[in-house]
Amino acid sequence: MSLEQYEWILKQQEITPDILELSRQLDFIPSYSALLYNRGITSFELARKFFKPTPEDLYNPFQLADMDKAVDHLSEVIRMGKKIMFYGDYDVDGTTSVALMSRFFRTFYPNFTTYIPDRYTEGYGLTSVGIAKAAAEKVHTIVALDCGIKSLALASEIGRLGMHLIVVDHHIPGAVLPEAVAVVDPKRPDCHYPFKELSACGLAYKLALTLAHRLELDPEYVHSMLDLVALSIGADMVPLVDENRTLMKLGLQVLNQHPSPGLQALITSAGIKTPVTSHHIGFLLGPRINAAGRIEHANLALSLLTTDQPCQANQIAQEIEKLNTERKTTQDLIASEAIHMVKHNPSRYRYAIVLQGHDWLKGVIGIVAARLVEEFHRPAIVFTRSGDFLVGSARSILTINIYDALNFCSHIIHQFGGHSHAAGVTLLPDNFELFFHSISEVIKRQATPETFKKKLFAEAEIKLADIDDKLIRLSTTHLQPTGIGNPTPHYISRNLKVLNNSRLIGSDQSHIKLYLHEPETNTYIQAVWFSKGHHFPHIINAGTVDAIYTLDFNTFNGHSAKQLKLLDLKINP
């Protein structure tokens, strides 16, 4: 068994006639073409879109159900000079959506306002406080971004107050759609849009494009805001396939060439010196944007994303940097407590981890749930007390659809919403134990012997001698952006000798630096394994090891060396 208890699964390596034909079209060697073929890149045209997409490759926004109604209504509101409110969620996707619409509208129509609810006093999505503010400001139309799809009662309230509602959301709808002028959501059962996994900011971009077309405005300005779309895609963990990959690829070009002042300031404060990648968005930029809403209020992030003044952007970025440091400290303390609770009573959490802490910070419980999933490979739902309710954040493993599981328990739940692997849920405190046992039973019924196995998938089994600069560039650069649906390639090499100069590294000696030798080809290479220093005594005394890893260059003092970034090791007898 592997040191990390993973099952290693090797993808199909057979070079088929179709792969050979793709190799001929692309002038690639067959093993490189097989890597693309595994990602659904089966023709020259698909390869062109994969490597060099253009805005013309995007689907027609009017294929989205109700997009025509939304554009017709907003065009009329603009003609009448009435006030619009762009109302978004407090996470990265909602904040970038509001920022995109704000930056777009201010170039031609000033009569609008923005609203993002307070995570702690109002909670998620449309709220009565936000609706009352809209009514007091004589708003004609509320455009709900990244929220609203399940807010049936509040949607009706908006109508009763004489206002109009447009919903632009990407969450799974309930059996009934909200009362609205238009409901733009690709997950609507009656929506025939070719791609269902757009982020909310991706949908906002589509709405802005259609309005620009209708109002005869320059679409290039809308394209210039694709940096916001890229940020939303990377932070919201939507699949990086099809149109999302095109939007991310185009957005990264903007982010690296002409970022907004706010994002440039954030890139600088995060210490990013190399070209920005999807990895930087997911692990450095996105968490910083989220930190504003997690610790204080997302309006701070909105100000950063909409400012045109570099000096102001730098000041806000420094404020966000401080909040992000506070966020990391708080989440680490809560995560340690939560992990201890599970380890203290593991049999209770055999199928699902459901925890509550009365003083846990509401803004970080989603991150804590993700940490629990990573640590124990179980669906995790973390609750904290908020007023009269328990408010929870759910994360799941790939083999369990947490939204469906919550749906089975809907009779116990006050409200819930989300995606297949991430969701929010609200309970009455008295229902906590009943909910825990119910969700555990639902997951138990869904589970098979394979459900909770940790698995790593490898593209190929290769010799260290096969690793050249071209393979590393293909794996690390040309396949970018990588993420869910388009993962960084993993490779396996076997029977590697661990050399004696291997050692622990890092200020706390928590990382491993290995020097590996492949006797069969007499090839040497270095490898790193982050945060796995506790395995070092087993590794250094091993005869040989098998390794599963990603490829990288280790650059130091202007010199680059080939390097393996280890994911797991097996000790051979």
Side-chain angles (χ1 to χ4, degrees):
M1 190 51 133
S2 75
L3 290 178
E4 286 292 293
Q5 308 300 305
Y6 280 107
E7 178 184 356
W8 299 3
I9 300 174
L10 190 62
K11 293 181 182 177
Q12 175 59 256
Q13 285 190 275
E14 180 185 358
I15 303 300
T16 64
D18 287 341
I19 293 174
L20 289 173
E21 173 58 23
L22 184 63
S23 296
R24 185 193 66 77
Q25 293 178 22
L26 300 178
D27 194 24
F28 278 11
I29 63 174
S31 59
Y32 293 178
S33 298
L35 194 149
L36 294 175
Y37 205 86
N38 283 341
R39 286 160 169 71
I41 312 303
T42 58
S43 69
F44 181 88
E45 178 58 18
L46 288 174
R48 197 273 306 160
K49 290 181 179 180
F50 187 85
F51 290 115
K52 295 183 178 180
T54 68
E56 288 70 34
D57 293 323
L58 299 171
Y59 300 122
N60 183 348
F62 282 108
Q63 291 179 270
L64 285 157
D66 279 8
M67 180 62 85
D68 55 342
K69 295 178 182 178
V71 172
D72 289 344
H73 181 84
L74 288 174
S75 299
E76 182 62 15
V77 172
I78 291 167
R79 187 193 67 78
M80 295 187 298
K82 300 292 186 179
K83 193 169 189 177
I84 302 168
M85 173 182 278
F86 297 112
Y87 188 120
D89 187 25
Y90 40 64
D91 68 0
V92 175
D93 200 11
T95 307
T96 53
S97 299
V98 175
L100 189 148
M101 297 308 294
S102 178
R103 283 166 55 180
F104 174 57
F105 266 75
R106 73 187 182 193
T107 63
F108 68 94
Y109 189 74
N111 195 12
F112 71 89
T113 187
T114 61
Y115 191 84
I116 297 177
D118 186 284
R119 182 190 293 266
Y120 295 98
T121 61
E122 296 176 69
Y124 166 80
L126 287 173
T127 66
S128 56
V129 174
I131 292 169
K133 187 174 189 297
E137 294 185 8
K138 301 190 183 312
V139 165
H140 180 276
T141 296
I142 297 174
V143 180
L145 300 157
D146 195 31
C147 60
I149 195 64
K150 296 184 75 174
S151 301
L152 304 185
L154 290 170
S156 298
E157 178 65 14
I158 289 169
R160 283 194 294 272
L161 291 171
M163 295 182 289
H164 301 79
L165 173 66
I166 292 173
V167 174
V168 180
D169 202 350
H170 69 143
H171 294 100
I172 300 169
V176 178
L177 295 178
E179 295 178 22
V181 172
V183 177
V184 179
D185 186 335
K187 293 187 176 74
R188 282 177 55 167
D190 61 341
C191 182
H192 303 297
Y193 194 73
F195 185 62
K196 302 294 185 182
E197 300 297 333
L198 287 169
S199 67
C201 191
L203 289 168
Y205 165 78
K206 295 279 183 176
L207 177 58
L209 272 181
T210 55
L211 273 169
H213 175 75
R214 177 67 59 85
L215 301 174
E216 299 183 344
L217 302 172
D218 185 2
E220 286 304 313
Y221 181 70
V222 182
H223 297 325
S224 75
M225 295 186 290
L226 279 168
D227 53 356
L228 293 171
V229 180
L231 188 61
S232 76
I233 291 170
D236 214 54
M237 304 295 284
V238 291
L240 265 176
V241 298
D242 201 308
E243 195 167 41
N244 276 345
R245 190 178 190 281
T246 298
L247 289 166
M248 173 69 94
K249 187 95 170 174
L250 296 171
L252 283 171
Q253 292 174 9
V254 176
L255 200 54
N256 282 297
Q257 295 170 12
H258 305 289
S260 67
L263 285 177
Q264 180 59 68
L266 200 66
I267 290 166
T268 302
S269 68
I272 300 171
K273 294 179 171 57
T274 57
V276 180
T277 67
S278 53
H279 174 83
H280 293 126
I281 290 174
F283 292 95
L284 294 176
L285 300 181
R288 282 166 167 79
I289 293 294
N290 263 331
R294 293 187 189 282
I295 304 299
E296 289 192 357
H297 197 288
N299 280 336
L300 185 64
L302 181 62
S303 296
L304 179 74
L305 297 176
T306 54
T307 183
D308 286 331
Q309 304 302 318
C311 287
Q312 183 186 29
N314 289 331
Q315 291 173 356
I316 298 171
Q318 289 307 312
E319 289 182 59
I320 287 178
E321 197 66 31
K322 293 176 184 176
L323 293 177
N324 190 52
T325 300
E326 182 180 344
R327 183 268 305 171
K328 287 191 287 187
T329 301
T330 302
Q331 80 184 35
D332 288 346
L333 289 171
I334 296 173
S336 295
E337 184 179 348
I339 289 169
H340 175 76
M341 290 169 69
V342 178
K343 287 183 175 179
H344 183 71
N345 192 4
S347 60
R348 172 178 167 88
Y349 306 109
R350 182 178 178 185
Y351 296 102
I353 298 169
V354 183
L355 304 175
Q356 64 167 313
H358 290 288
D359 59 349
W360 288 352
L361 186 67
K362 184 178 173 183
V364 302
I365 56 175
I367 302 173
V368 173
R371 288 272 291 275
L372 291 169
V373 172
E374 182 181 355
E375 180 79 16
F376 300 104
H377 199 63
R378 296 286 186 276
I381 310 175
V382 179
F383 288 94
T384 190
R385 192 68 179 253
S386 181
D388 294 332
F389 292 97
L390 291 176
V391 176
S393 190
R395 299 293 185 270
S396 192
I397 55 180
L398 290 176
T399 49
I400 294 291
N401 185 318
I402 196 65
Y403 183 90
D404 286 350
L406 290 170
N407 202 32
F408 276 112
C409 303
S410 59
H411 58 290
I412 307 168
I413 297 171
H414 177 67
Q415 62 181 20
F416 74 99
H419 307 288
S420 56
H421 297 106
V425 56
T426 303
L427 291 178
L428 287 169
D430 289 347
N431 285 342
F432 177 80
E433 279 299 316
L434 178 60
F435 171 77
F436 167 71
H437 291 293
S438 298
I439 199 85
S440 297
E441 185 61 30
V442 168
I443 292 170
K444 179 182 178 180
R445 290 200 304 266
Q446 291 181 4
T448 71
E450 295 293 311
T451 297
F452 299 114
K453 286 185 178 178
K454 296 168 63 178
K455 299 178 181 180
L456 284 172
F457 294 87
E459 300 282 348
E461 184 174 313
I462 61 176
K463 303 294 184 184
L464 295 186
D466 296 332
I467 300 172
D468 57 14
D469 290 357
K470 187 174 181 180
L471 179 62
I472 296 176
R473 283 194 296 270
L474 178 68
S475 302
T476 59
T477 303
H478 300 317
L479 288 180
Q480 280 285 337
T482 53
I484 297 173
N486 182 45
T488 300
H490 301 166
Y491 301 98
I492 294 172
S493 294
R494 301 193 187 276
N495 300 314
L496 308 177
K497 179 68 177 176
V498 179
L499 301 182
N500 289 333
N501 55 342
S502 299
R503 63 188 188 276
L504 292 170
I505 59 173
S507 58
D508 58 355
Q509 299 285 280
S510 62
H511 313 307
I512 302 175
K513 180 85 160 190
L514 296 181
Y515 293 92
L516 302 172
H517 177 226
E518 186 174 63
E520 183 181 346
T521 63
N522 196 29
T523 303
Y524 296 83
I525 200 166
Q526 63 187 23
V528 291
W529 202 4
F530 293 111
S531 304
K532 300 299 177 183
H534 55 282
H535 288 314
F536 187 68
H538 304 287
I539 298 168
I540 197 65
N541 295 315
T544 62
V545 298
D546 296 343
I548 184 168
Y549 53 86
T550 63
L551 294 170
D552 198 9
F553 289 112
N554 179 33
T555 302
F556 183 72
N557 286 338
H559 175 70
S560 290
K562 301 170 189 174
Q563 179 175 263
L564 314 184
K565 295 178 75 172
L566 297 173
L567 303 166
D568 197 9
L569 287 176
K570 290 181 180 178
I571 306 295
N572 295 323

